[in-house]
Amino acid sequence: MSHIALYRAWRPQTFGDMVGQQHIIQTLQNAIREQRVSHAYLFNGPRGTGKTSAAKIMAKAINCQRGPAPEPCNECDACRGITAGTVMDVVEIDAASNRGIDEIRDIRDKVRYAPSEVRYKVYIIDEVHMLTSEAFNALLKTLEEPPGHVIFILATTEPHKLPATIISRCQRFDFRQVSLPEQTERLRLICEEEGIQAEADALAYLARLSDGGMRDAISLLEQVSAFGGERITLNDAVDVTGGLAAEQFSQLADAVRDGNAGAILPLVEGLMQAGKSPDKCLENLIYYFRDLLVIKLAPGRTATERIVDQERYRAMAEAFSADRLFRMIDILNQYMGEIRHASLPQTIFEVALMKVCTVQDSGGGSAAQASSAADAGNRTAPAGSAAAAPAEVTRLQQRIDTLERKLEELSRSGVRPAGEAASAGPDKGGRTGSGFRGANTSAGIAKTTVKLGPFLAAAESQATGQVRMRWSEILQRVKEARITVHAWLVDGEPVAAVDNTVLVAFKNTMHRETTEKPANRELIEGVLQEVFGRPVKLATVMMKEWQTADKGPAPAAEPLTLQQEEAGGEPKRPEWVEEAVKLFGEDLVVVDDN
């Protein structure tokens, strides 16, 4: 037999052919045997687990000329006609392309007529969650009081999108992912029947890639068999599916273990030249370190179907602590979310690997605490100085204790909610209680003397109008360049433009601070230059400050300023004030200088 039709040839034709759904099969067979078939069923579960196949087998079983029987004979005219799709009384509808109310009304009009060829009319609606609300309403009455000769079988991968009124009128069956041993055994049986010699490691690898879907596993087997012919090896399976070979895993893991960031770049470049996908490589690497973690924490569990040399794999697991593996997986998972939307996925992959190269053992702290300490200030001990990690944790704890004492003193004297500060008058020095509000609290961002006066005067100028007219175009270009920067910038609104500088007002402090980061600012200013054909700078301000300044002059003692990032700048405020703002936010911290 040609391998081109491998999946179609092995599609289940009886309940006994199905894999991994024994509890559902037994329930349906008992219902048929006892003639207690329901008028509506809901089959839900992951893709490729047999929902539509079970629906067709059910239609054959209840309409078999030798039945109704727990298993269809697949020999009578009814069974063969349903298999071929020529029986008009068994209708399969794809709700993704027939999702409107007109299609459902057509069904509602036809169900009143008795079947002409078989015992029951069966309507199989696949991807039923795609129906519109109006279509669900039209279907509801028919499901509630259907004729005795009609059976509805609804199939979906997303049952949470179905109205509760629909679900309550159906018998619901949850199809589960097929286990790895069951998938591997079925693939072995297929290869045996088709005369294909396949390594056990190759079949286990394909089963793991299918993510619990038997259909995907057979499709992958068909793809690999088309490449390898009558013999399938693990290397063939890895090459065809775009995965990483065991040797490539080991080389990357060795570089990460030794903290050798210099060895990462040529390895990644070699993978890219071999046609590997950066996001797929990153995904496989997460699986690799996950398996190292499983071997370390649960040695008796087999979790390394991708690797043939088990002893080398265990030796690699011994080189990492469980805490370090936890933090590395967390970091790689964060970059996994970014790489899908990145314009330079290879660079993201390289940065992710170099980042995990810097992860060191935390000296006994929990994984969560160590990860938080690393992300909060990138203050982990440098590579090669693992002994410094306990001292670093101790220093951080001392700093936290000191900060807590200062915050306690601050709460008794100087910190009040913003509403109270607004009603307070100027202090003895002539300054209002909101003297620090609106200052950027990120490290390295200092307070500059750029005044808002010129921008207030240019708020209605022609230049400002041009920026506002083309702002949607600017946002779209930023989105195309980097969608994460667009997510922050979209919170801002251009309020003025003067001297080749665009002032953007933000409602959210975090959005503003993230936009001000050097890499993000450089990207936005590059887009501005493309749009206007000349260098244009970006300046930011909080919307509250802009609106306050727009209503009237600022207090004479302290003019309103906007914040811009300066290389090497240091905050003018005391460190304990900076920490208080980081903990409570700009709007809740007011310093009263008595």
Side-chain angles (χ1 to χ4, degrees):
M1 175 182 293
S2 171
H3 301 322
I4 296 177
L6 193 59
Y7 170 69
R8 290 193 293 273
W10 282 91
R11 186 168 186 168
Q13 300 299 325
T14 66
F15 285 122
D17 294 334
M18 297 188 63
V19 180
Q21 315 298 341
Q22 285 76 13
H23 62 298
I24 296 176
I25 294 170
Q26 182 177 349
T27 304
L28 294 176
Q29 288 181 325
N30 290 340
I32 297 172
R33 185 181 296 110
E34 299 172 9
Q35 297 185 4
R36 298 172 60 183
V37 178
S38 175
H39 68 281
Y41 293 92
L42 174 61
F43 294 168
N44 69 270
R47 69 182 190 279
T49 52
K51 300 183 294 297
T52 307
S53 297
K56 290 185 176 180
I57 296 171
M58 181 78 174
K60 290 191 292 186
I62 61 178
N63 284 314
C64 181
Q65 293 177 356
R66 302 178 185 177
E71 288 284 10
C73 68
N74 285 321
E75 297 177 356
C76 65
D77 292 339
C79 288
R80 286 186 295 178
I82 294 173
T83 301
T86 59
V87 176
M88 302 298 294
D89 295 320
V90 177
V91 182
E92 183 177 0
I93 301 171
D94 180 16
S97 54
N98 300 277
R99 58 194 305 263
I101 188 173
D102 293 335
E103 289 84 356
I104 302 302
R105 282 175 176 169
D106 183 61
I107 295 175
R108 189 180 61 185
D109 294 338
K110 292 179 178 178
V111 295
R112 68 184 70 174
Y113 302 112
S116 58
E117 300 180 68
V118 291
R119 194 175 292 112
Y120 291 95
K121 274 191 172 184
V122 181
Y123 288 92
I124 302 171
I125 306 179
D126 198 11
E127 300 297 339
V128 69
H129 65 274
M130 297 293 289
L131 291 179
T132 63
S133 300
E134 294 79 6
F136 275 125
N137 292 335
L139 181 64
L140 184 59
K141 187 65 176 178
T142 305
L143 283 180
E144 188 174 15
E145 298 176 358
H149 58 264
V150 175
I151 295 175
F152 285 92
I153 304 179
L154 314 180
T156 179
T157 56
E158 302 182 54
H160 58 278
K161 293 185 178 180
L162 271 64
T165 51
I166 295 291
I167 296 176
S168 65
R169 287 165 172 79
C170 303
Q171 285 192 12
R172 176 171 173 171
F173 291 90
D174 295 329
F175 286 67
R176 65 175 177 85
Q177 291 181 327
V178 184
S179 66
L180 286 174
E182 290 174 317
Q183 283 186 305
T184 305
E185 177 59 26
R186 175 52 62 93
L187 294 178
R188 187 197 64 77
L189 178 61
I190 293 174
C191 290
E192 182 179 320
E193 292 291 332
E194 298 295 329
I196 303 172
Q197 296 180 359
E199 295 180 358
D201 293 321
L203 297 182
Y205 176 80
L206 295 178
R208 171 65 71 89
L209 287 184
S210 66
D211 198 21
M214 195 67 240
R215 180 182 63 209
D216 293 348
I218 298 176
S219 297
L220 287 172
L221 178 63
E222 181 177 356
Q223 180 181 353
V224 177
S225 66
F227 172 78
E230 300 299 324
R231 178 171 177 77
I232 297 176
T233 64
L234 177 60
N235 289 335
D236 291 341
V238 171
D239 289 340
V240 172
T241 58
L244 297 181
E247 185 62 29
Q248 293 169 322
F249 274 123
S250 299
Q251 291 174 353
L252 288 173
D254 287 339
V256 171
R257 177 197 61 199
D258 300 334
N260 187 2
I264 291 292
L265 299 179
L267 288 174
V268 173
E269 187 63 31
L271 293 174
M272 298 304 104
Q273 291 180 357
K276 306 297 183 182
S277 171
D279 58 336
K280 194 68 177 179
C281 291
L282 185 56
E283 178 183 346
N284 287 340
L285 204 60
I286 293 175
Y287 278 129
Y288 181 87
F289 288 120
R290 172 261 181 195
D291 289 345
L292 289 182
L293 188 61
V294 170
I295 279 186
K296 196 164 192 68
L297 298 181
R301 182 177 176 85
T302 302
T304 57
E305 289 84 354
R306 287 177 293 272
I307 304 301
V308 179
D309 192 350
Q310 300 289 334
E311 292 302 322
R312 183 175 181 179
Y313 204 59
R314 292 190 177 91
M316 183 64 69
E318 292 298 324
F320 294 90
S321 68
D323 173 73
R324 186 179 179 187
L325 287 172
F326 274 123
R327 288 185 286 147
M328 288 164 55
I329 292 173
D330 285 341
I331 292 171
L332 293 177
N333 186 56
Q334 292 173 6
Y335 282 99
M336 192 69 208
E338 296 182 11
I339 199 171
R340 293 190 177 98
H341 306 289
S343 57
L344 298 172
Q346 178 180 343
T347 302
I348 298 297
F349 183 40
E350 293 170 344
V351 171
L353 288 174
M354 288 188 286
K355 181 69 176 291
V356 296
C357 280
T358 65
V359 175
Q360 300 295 325
D361 294 334
S362 63
S366 68
Q369 291 172 338
S371 179
S372 298
D375 294 338
N378 199 17
R379 295 187 293 267
T380 54
S385 60
E392 180 72 13
V393 174
T394 303
R395 188 184 69 79
L396 289 174
Q397 185 61 49
Q398 293 174 348
R399 183 175 180 181
I400 291 173
D401 294 339
T402 303
L403 177 61
E404 288 177 347
R405 289 195 299 270
K406 290 182 178 179
L407 288 177
E408 186 177 355
E409 298 173 1
L410 182 63
S411 64
R412 291 196 300 265
S413 59
V415 177
R416 296 191 300 275
E420 296 178 14
S423 62
D427 60 17
K428 296 178 182 179
R431 290 173 293 183
T432 62
S434 57
F436 286 125
R437 186 175 301 164
N440 201 323
T441 60
S442 299
I445 298 180
K447 192 172 182 180
T448 64
T449 58
V450 180
K451 298 181 180 180
L452 288 178
F455 290 98
L456 291 172
E460 303 298 331
S461 66
Q462 182 179 1
T464 302
Q466 290 178 351
V467 173
R468 288 172 177 166
M469 289 175 58
R470 308 193 67 177
W471 187 245
S472 57
E473 177 187 352
I474 294 170
L475 289 176
Q476 181 61 32
R477 292 200 181 195
V478 171
K479 184 177 182 180
E480 293 172 357
R482 189 173 303 163
I483 194 171
T484 52
V485 179
H486 171 269
W488 304 114
L489 183 61
V490 76
D491 179 66
E493 175 185 344
V495 293
V498 63
D499 294 335
N500 289 328
T501 301
V502 175
L503 179 63
V504 179
F506 285 85
K507 301 175 184 177
N508 184 283
T509 304
M510 183 177 66
H511 290 184
R512 178 194 177 192
E513 292 179 356
T514 308
T515 304
E516 284 280 6
K517 289 184 178 180
N520 298 343
R521 170 190 287 275
E522 181 180 353
L523 185 145
I524 296 170
E525 290 179 346
V527 170
L528 291 172
Q529 182 172 353
E530 291 177 4
V531 172
F532 295 108
R534 62 182 185 277
V536 179
K537 297 296 184 182
L538 173 70
T540 66
V541 68
M542 294 305 298
M543 182 62 76
K544 291 182 179 179
E545 295 180 14
W546 174 257
Q547 292 173 346
T548 302
D550 196 24
K551 292 178 182 178
E558 186 171 348
L560 285 173
T561 60
L562 62 90
Q563 309 303 316
Q564 290 183 313
E565 186 166 348
E566 295 180 351
E570 294 295 335
K572 298 293 186 179
R573 299 178 292 189
E575 182 180 1
W576 55 272
V577 176
E578 295 288 344
E579 297 293 345
V581 174
K582 289 180 182 179
L583 287 175
F584 299 106
E586 293 282 357
D587 294 336
L588 294 181
V589 176
V590 177
V591 177
D592 190 0
D593 188 5
N594 291 325

